[in-house]
Structures are given as structure tokens and as C-alpha cells.
């Protein structure tokens, strides 16, 4: 079978080119690790102020894992909070605890709140019917977390690297003249596109499995749903990256021109895929998101990984991704007409 | 010359890219079992003609017929062997893997495929470099491997665009001997060249200049008609110099 020959050849080439293979697998892992370290590094030790807390209570508090400073009054604590010497201060009014946070950095907010919960645990019996009051000096509790945009980044890096490698390898097929040679054989144009898609698809499946496994089980990215869905989404996303990369390579004359597509085609996707709040995006730009494959993949990945949803909530996004791939494949076949009419 | 249908029949073919006309009303018949040389300087239109015959390009005007069928036709591709000017090879793969890939494209299988791969490597004297990565091949070796690939499916018509560029004289002689063998087995061969002494080895020659076929005939005929001592002088005479 001619397509099989094409698939075997592509896989052989990938395996032979160790560096590219490493790039496809280890580069996303490396970048995700760095992001993980930047956003989810060692647990932060918050600077906490205790304002006029009765000694009887303070001895019961669990004050580990924080740097503690005592204040006479809330005013003094607040001025230290403004100058960012404190991350938050705790005070008791009528035996009810309340916390005031500096609030501009979501990761710091998280650690302060986690610390407070721990610190108050020993008092819980006495406080059962009293809700703790949380106040923010700046910002609010609605700010994003790594867990929230992790799925988008996972999708983005898979997309980015598959797009680049597939595009460049098809470009090379063109510039070295092997495409011309393929077209002087009885190979049909759709067989070339199908061969490329399957050949890279097989490799992409391995790549997606390793990267998703690494992000979830080694980096501990939040994972509420089923791993199988994550694989399915990343696979379909890679297919769209693959077919788009091959398509755009028809419009590039060398590797550098292929790289020029990155800021034009790949990077903008990350802005419109939900890494930043889509509701706050300028209205005259909001139509861009639904035109990009990453938009649907990010939504589906987030539904699975963050919200723990299943098939019902993601199948529409998957269909759209599949539609993108099919569209790009048809355009690819049309683009090959430039080289042979039949 | 004989009663068989021509293998290649080029009828009133013109080709333009935008305003630039690269072929002007070319008419040519190539008969079975001959080695036909297309001779002309670079940029004359040789490659455009052979690309049309290989099915990669279509004429703006006129028609190309191969084996009495109008090109381009997918089922004719199996009967044509084409070797482009650039060595279309996969450098990351070994010679064997390259051959295996292209052989499969032409539907060769199993023992027959293995045998053909061996045979063509013998023809181009590369047998001992069978398992080497093409990346490590010299320019001449790549050229020969490229030729070997175009021979894999035993094509009835072999189209070779500058086949002996960068090949040393000893091997070049060997390759021409291989062309003669193929010809004796009934293969029709079209060779483009700008090397005059190679042109002498062809059965017939077509001289091309500025997209026009200025003369067609055997090397002897062309020399006689212009009373030239060699092909180069004949070419100049036809070119109006």
C-alpha cells in the first residue's frame, strides 16, 4: 500500500533525526516544568501580622510555616500591609477571626489562605458557627491560578511544536525536490496528505501521551477528569496543528519563512484561547478566538482537567477540532495542484 | 523511420509563466528505443519540456502525448521514470530505505522489490554503499542513487534531467553503457544536457535555444547539414551565430 510506504518512511525519518524527536517530546516538558516552577514553586512562607490577639488564643494557634509579627492596632498592621512588608494580618473581633490580605498576587493569596485555615484548625471546635471574614486590600479571590491556565499551556505547546516540525518537514520535501519526485510517481495527492497525517499522527500520539502524562503525574497539574479524554483532545489538536503546518509550508520558501508564521499564526492563538479572560477582551477582537483550533482544545482540556467533565461536555469541541483538520487537509490537497494538475 | 507510434509526441506546445514565454510552438516526436538528447544552454527550456513529459507541468497551448495518451495521466506515471535535476533523496535514510520507499510507491513488493533494488544498485555501481545513510554520500553518488531510483519500476520511457552532472568520467562512461543496455532492452530515453561530447552519444538530438527547437536530427546529420566539425559548431550555426 502506497500510504503505508509513506507512513513508514516518515516514521523512519523522525526516529533517525534524534534531535527533532527530542525537541518534540522534551521541549514541551521542559517549558512546562519551568512554568510549573515559576508558578507553583516551593510553598511560599507568608508574612503574617497578628493584631492584638489574646494570649489564650494565640497559644492554641498553629503558627508554623509563616513569619509572624505582632501589632498593637489594625492601623499599624495596615500600613505595613500597604508597604508590602506583610502579606496579610489576622485579627479577632468578638471571638470571630478575620483576615485582611494584600491581594495583588494570586499565588500569595492562596498560600495565606491555606496557612490561615491550618492555623485556625485547633480553634475549630470553638468557632463552628462563626464564618471567617476575608478582606482584600487589593485584588480579589477571583484571580487565576496555574491550575486554571495549565491546560491551555499544555495544548499550546503541543500545538506549537507539532505545527513547526510538520511544516518544516513538508517544506523540506518541497525544497529538496522529493515532493516533485513523489508527484511523478502514481501516488495520488490525497494519498500524500493522508500519508503525512497518519505518519505524523502516530508519532504525535506518542508525544501527546508522554507530555500529558508528565504534566499531570509528574508536575501534578490539576486533573479532575479522565486521562483518556486529555489524550483524545491533544491528539485532535495535534492533527489540526499538523495539517495547518503542512498547509502553511506551501506559502514558505525556506525554514526561516516557516518560522515567520509563528508570531502570525501560533502565538496569537494563545491570547484568544482563554489564557486571559475572554470576557474582558476588546469586542472588536473577540471574533478571533472561535477561528483558532486552540480555543476549542483549551476549552475542552479545561472542562476535563479542571472541571472533571466527560464526553457530553467535550464532544462538540472535538468535532470542531476534527473539522479544522479535515478543512486543512482538503486545502492541502488543493494546494498540491500547484505541482501537478491531476 | 519506423512504423511504430512515437513514444513521445509533442504537438504545438507553448508555455508561458505570466508574460515570460519559455516554450514557443515546440513540435517533436521521439521514437521507441532511441536515446534522444535535448541540448541547449541553461534557461533554454529543456527542463520545462521534460517536466511536462513527466506530468509535473501542463502546456499553456498544445498537447503532449506519451504512449499515445494525452499527458498528464496518473496511470501513465507507472511507465515513466523521471530523474530531476536536483537529487530528490531523503538524507536521513539509507540508500536501501530510499529505494524501498520509492519501490513501494510504484507497487513493487516482496522478493521482486528486493531483486529490483539490488539490480538498480548494480547498474549504478553502488552495491557496496547499500546501507549507508544518503547524508554521507558524495554528490556523484547521490546522482547515481537518484538514477537508480528512476529505474526501479522498469519504465518504458526514462526522462533524465542532466543525469551525469558531477559524475567523474569513468563512472559517466559506465552510466552511458547502462543507457545503451536499457535502450537495447527497448527503453526509450530522453536526456537533457549542455555537455557537447555527451550529445554525440545520443541517437538523435534536439537543439533548444530561447524556448524554440532550432534543429532535430542525429549528431551526424546535424554536423553535415551545417558542415560543422563538432556539435558545438553545429549548435552555433543553427543558432544563427
Amino acid at each position: 500500500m502506497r500510504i503505508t510506504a509513506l507512513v513508514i518512511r516518515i516514521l523512519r525519518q523522525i526516529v533517525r533525526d534524534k534531535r527533532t524527536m527530542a525537541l518534540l517530546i522534551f521541549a514541551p516538558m521542559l517549558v512546562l516544568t519551568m512554568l510549573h516552577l515559576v508558578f507553583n514553586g516551593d510553598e511560599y512562607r507568608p508574612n503574617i501580622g497578628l493584631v492584638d490577639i489574646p494570649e489564650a488564643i494565640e497559644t492554641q494557634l498553629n503558627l508554623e510555616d509563616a513569619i509572624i509579627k505582632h501589632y498593637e492596632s489594625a492601623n499599624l498592621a495596615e500600613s505595613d500591609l500597604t508597604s508590602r512588608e506583610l502579606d496579610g494580618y489576622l485579627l479577632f473581633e468578638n471571638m470571630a477571626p478575620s483576615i485582611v490580605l494584600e491581594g495583588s498576587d494570586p499565588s500569595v493569596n492562596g498560600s495565606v489562605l491555606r496557612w490561615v485555615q491550618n492555623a485556625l484548625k485547633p480553634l475549630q471546635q470553638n468557632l463552628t458557627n462563626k464564618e471567617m471574614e476575608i478582606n482584600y486590600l487589593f485584588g480579589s479571590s477571583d484571580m487565576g491560578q496555574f491550575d486554571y491556565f495549565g491546560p491551555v499551556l499544555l495544548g499550546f505547546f503541543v500545538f506549537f511544536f507539532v505545527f513547526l516540525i510538520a511544516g518544516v518537514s513538508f517544506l523540506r520535501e518541497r525544497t529538496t525536490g522529493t515532493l516533485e519526485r513523489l508527484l511523478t510517481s502514481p501516488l495520488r495527492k490525497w494519498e500524500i496528505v493522508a500519508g503525512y497525517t497518519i505518519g505524523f499522527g502516530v508519532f504525535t500520539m506518542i508525544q501527546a501521551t508522554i507530555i500529558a502524562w508528565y504534566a499531570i503525574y509528574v508536575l501534578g497539574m490539576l486533573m479532575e477528569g479522565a486521562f483518556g479524554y486529555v489524550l483524545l483532545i491533544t491528539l485532535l489538536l495535534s492533527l489540526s496543528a499538523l495539517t495547518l503546518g503542512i498547509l502553511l509550508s506551501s506559502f514558505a520558501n525556506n525554514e526561516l519563512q516557516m518560522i515567520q508564521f509563528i508570531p502570525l499564526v501560533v502565538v496569537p492563538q494563545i491570547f484568544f484561547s482563554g489564557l486571559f479572560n475572554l470576557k474582558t477582551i476588546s469586542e472588536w477582537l473577540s471574533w478571533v478566538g472561535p477561528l483558532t483550533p486552540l480555543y476549542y482544545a483549551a476549552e475542552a482540556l479545561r472542562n476535563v482537567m479542571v472541571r472533571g467533565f466527560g464526553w457530553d461536555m467535550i464532544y462538540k469541541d472535538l468535532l470542531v477540532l476534527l473539522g479544522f483538520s479535515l478543512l486543512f487537509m482538503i486545502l492541502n490537497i488543493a494546494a498540491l495542484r500547484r505541482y501537478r494538475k491531476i | 523511420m519506423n512504423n511504430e507510434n512515437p513514444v513521445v509526441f509533442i504537438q504545438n506546445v507553448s508555455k508561458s509563466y505570466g508574460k515570460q514565454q519559455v516554450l514557443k510552438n515546440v513540435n517533436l516526436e521521439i521514437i521507441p528505443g532511441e536515446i534522444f538528447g535535448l541540448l541547449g544552454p541553461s534557461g533554454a527550456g529543456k527542463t520545462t519540456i521534460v517536466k511536462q513529459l513527466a506530468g509535473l507541468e501542463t502546456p499553456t497551448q498544445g498537447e503532449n502525448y506519451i504512449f499515445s495518451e494525452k499527458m498528464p495521466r496518473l496511470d501513465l506515471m507507472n511507465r515513466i521514470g523521471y530523474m530531476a535535476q536536483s537529487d530528490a533523496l531523503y538524507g536521513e535514510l539509507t540508500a536501501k530505505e530510499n529505494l524501498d520507499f520509492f519501490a513501494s510507491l510504484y507497487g513493487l513488493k516482496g522478493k521482486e522489490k528486493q531483486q529490483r533494488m539490488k539490480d538498480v544498485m548494480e547498474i549504478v555501481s553502488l552495491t557496496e554503499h547499500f546501507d549507508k545513510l544518503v547524508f554521507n554520500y558524495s554528490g556523484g553518488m547521490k546522482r547515481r542513487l537518484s538514477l537508480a531510483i528512476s529505474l526501479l519500476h522498469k519504465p518504458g520511457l526514462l526522462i533524465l534531467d542532466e543525469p551525469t552532472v558531477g559524475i567523474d568520467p569513468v563512472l559517466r562512461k559506465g552510466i552511458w553503457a547502462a543507457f545503451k543496455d536499457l535502450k537495447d532492452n527497448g527503453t526509450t530515453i530522453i536526456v537533457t544536457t549542455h555537455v557537447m561530447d555527451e550529445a554525440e552519444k545520443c541517437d538523435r538530438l534536439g537543439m533548444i535555444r530561447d524556448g524554440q527547437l532550432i534543429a532535430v536530427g542525429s549528431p551526424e546529420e546535424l554536423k553535415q547539414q551545417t558542415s560543422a566539425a563538432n556539435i558545438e559548431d553545429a549548435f552555433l550555426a543553427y543558432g544563427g551565430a
Side-chain angles (χ1 to χ4, degrees):
Chain A
M1 182 80 185
R2 290 188 294 248
I3 295 180
T4 323
L6 205 54
V7 170
I8 292 171
R9 191 214 86 207
I10 289 167
L11 288 175
R12 267 184 182 150
Q13 281 180 298
I14 296 175
V15 170
R16 214 47 66 71
D17 189 352
K18 300 271 188 304
R19 203 166 125 174
T20 301
M21 189 163 69
L23 177 76
L24 272 167
I25 293 175
F26 293 110
M29 282 163 77
L30 182 71
V31 177
L32 284 171
T33 307
M34 288 193 289
L35 283 164
H36 167 80
L37 292 176
V38 170
F39 289 101
N40 266 13
D42 276 354
E43 189 64 353
Y44 177 70
R45 281 190 80 190
N47 291 297
I48 305 286
L50 299 181
V51 178
D52 200 19
I53 290 180
E55 217 171 302
I57 294 179
E58 192 180 330
T59 49
Q60 288 184 57
L61 291 175
N62 178 6
L63 295 176
E64 269 173 271
D65 295 317
I67 299 150
I68 304 292
K69 217 172 158 186
H70 293 87
Y71 291 89
E72 302 283 328
S73 76
N75 282 347
L76 288 171
E78 184 141 350
S79 73
D80 272 1
L81 197 62
T82 315
S83 62
R84 306 193 65 175
E85 272 164 50
L86 282 184
D87 297 311
Y89 62 85
L90 187 67
L91 69 167
F92 278 82
E93 280 171 347
N94 310 323
M95 286 304 289
S98 75
I99 178 106
V100 179
L101 289 110
E102 195 269 339
S104 64
D105 187 339
S107 65
V108 172
N109 292 349
S111 21
V112 173
L113 289 176
R114 273 193 296 281
W115 176 85
V116 169
Q117 273 178 355
N118 252 330
L120 295 180
K121 245 183 209 149
L123 290 177
Q124 232 138 44
Q125 290 93 329
N126 315 337
L127 298 168
T128 38
N129 47 7
K130 280 168 188 156
E131 194 66 69
M132 184 175 66
E133 200 184 320
I134 302 166
N135 296 302
Y136 290 86
L137 191 59
F138 309 111
S140 75
S141 62
D142 296 331
M143 294 180 82
Q145 296 285 319
F146 179 68
D147 286 335
Y148 189 62
F149 55 68
V152 181
L153 292 174
L154 179 68
F156 174 77
F157 288 113
V158 169
F159 186 93
F160 177 83
F161 289 106
V162 172
F163 171 86
L164 195 62
I165 307 279
V168 168
S169 69
F170 200 74
L171 177 86
R172 252 190 233 150
E173 186 105 59
R174 212 155 47 86
T175 52
T176 59
T178 49
L179 178 66
E180 198 176 85
R181 182 155 227 165
L182 293 185
L183 287 169
T184 59
S185 81
L187 201 61
R188 285 161 205 282
K189 280 180 296 217
W190 69 264
E191 288 177 319
I192 296 179
V193 176
Y196 251 80
T197 312
I198 299 171
F200 270 94
V202 169
F203 182 74
T204 302
M205 212 140 65
I206 300 168
Q207 182 217 22
T209 313
I210 295 176
I211 295 173
W213 169 84
Y214 180 77
I216 292 165
Y217 297 108
V218 178
L219 296 184
M221 207 178 263
L222 182 68
M223 180 63 184
E224 297 289 336
F227 189 66
Y229 288 134
V230 172
L231 281 191
L232 190 63
I233 299 162
T234 39
L235 180 66
L236 286 173
L237 177 68
S238 318
L239 277 187
S240 71
L242 168 74
T243 46
L244 181 65
I246 294 175
L247 180 63
L248 289 182
S249 77
S250 313
F251 304 101
N253 291 321
N254 52 49
E255 278 89 346
L256 182 61
Q257 290 192 348
M258 193 65 212
I259 290 177
Q260 287 162 5
F261 281 121
I262 295 172
L264 286 175
V265 177
V266 180
V267 172
Q269 295 207 42
I270 203 165
F271 299 125
F272 298 103
S273 59
L275 190 59
F276 305 106
N277 194 334
L278 291 172
K279 285 175 189 133
T280 60
I281 249 168
S282 307
E283 238 169 64
W284 61 278
L285 271 177
S286 60
W287 53 273
V288 179
L291 297 179
T292 60
L294 197 56
Y295 176 87
Y296 301 95
E299 182 61 23
L301 280 173
R302 208 169 257 170
N303 273 340
V304 172
M305 292 175 71
V306 179
R307 302 177 188 121
F309 292 159
W311 180 250
D312 299 350
M313 295 303 291
I314 60 168
Y315 79 97
K316 276 185 197 149
D317 293 316
L318 293 181
L319 283 178
V320 177
L321 283 177
L322 203 60
F324 270 113
S325 303
L326 285 176
L327 174 71
F328 294 148
M329 282 173 82
I330 291 166
L331 291 175
N332 270 321
I333 294 169
L336 282 177
R337 275 185 67 85
R338 280 217 312 219
Y339 305 100
R340 188 176 78 188
K341 288 288 179 298
I342 48 157
Chain B
M1 257 179 267
N2 66 36
N3 296 327
E4 286 178 76
N5 284 329
V7 174
V8 174
F9 180 36
I10 302 176
Q11 194 179 31
N12 297 322
V13 163
S14 298
K15 176 79 184 179
S16 323
Y17 297 106
K19 275 184 188 156
Q20 195 200 359
Q21 192 168 20
V22 289
L23 289 181
K24 290 170 199 154
N25 203 26
V26 174
N27 285 285
L28 182 64
E29 285 183 28
I30 294 170
I31 50 179
E34 70 172 338
I35 300 180
F36 189 91
L38 280 171
L39 180 68
S42 68
K46 299 182 304 259
T47 298
T48 311
I49 292 181
V50 294
K51 274 195 176 177
Q52 287 190 1
L53 297 180
L56 290 169
E57 304 237 10
T58 47
T60 317
Q61 265 170 15
E63 281 108 35
N64 293 302
Y65 295 91
I66 290 182
F67 301 117
S68 305
E69 303 266 15
K70 193 180 166 194
M71 280 300 278
R73 259 181 81 113
L74 213 52
D75 53 355
L76 283 183
M77 300 289 193
N78 249 328
R79 301 173 63 185
I80 304 171
Y82 172 70
M83 171 184 168
Q85 254 177 42
S86 62
D87 301 307
L89 301 166
Y90 299 101
E92 315 90 315
L93 304 183
T94 64
K96 190 179 180 180
E97 286 164 344
N98 269 284
L99 286 165
D100 185 78
F101 170 61
F102 285 106
S104 304
L105 291 189
Y106 285 99
L108 292 169
K109 280 186 210 108
K111 273 210 179 112
E112 193 200 355
K113 179 163 83 177
Q114 299 305 323
Q115 191 55 48
R116 278 308 290 163
M117 285 161 61
K118 262 190 211 146
D119 290 350
V120 295
M121 285 300 262
E122 232 156 76
I123 292 174
V124 297
S125 337
L126 281 176
T127 312
E128 74 240 63
H129 305 291
F130 210 36
D131 291 309
K132 219 184 217 176
L133 288 180
V134 170
F135 180 74
N136 297 321
Y137 267 36
S138 71
M141 287 161 80
K142 283 184 193 163
R143 209 78 201 109
R144 279 141 66 200
L145 178 59
S146 219
L147 177 65
I149 288 170
S150 65
L151 300 173
L152 274 169
H153 56 294
K154 291 187 179 167
L157 171 64
L158 195 55
I159 302 170
L160 308 168
D161 203 352
E162 309 261 3
T164 54
V165 172
I167 296 184
D168 75 71
V170 178
L171 281 167
R172 192 191 293 190
K173 210 173 164 190
I175 284 177
W176 272 91
F179 291 169
K180 290 259 156 49
D181 283 347
L182 287 164
K183 174 201 151 157
D184 292 341
N185 289 323
T187 309
T188 309
I189 303 176
I190 302 174
V191 176
T192 75
T193 182
H194 59 257
V195 185
M196 300 293 170
D197 72 311
E198 236 175 48
E200 300 262 13
K201 294 178 185 148
C202 300
D203 295 322
R204 287 200 306 146
L205 278 178
M207 292 184 168
I208 307 175
R209 197 160 166 259
D210 295 333
Q212 278 174 309
L213 204 57
I214 53 177
V216 179
S218 71
E220 288 311 311
E221 283 167 7
L222 295 175
K223 279 190 283 189
Q224 263 172 26
Q225 280 169 17
T226 53
S227 354
N230 55 41
I231 291 291
E232 187 147 5
D233 289 342
F235 189 90
L236 290 171
Y238 281 112

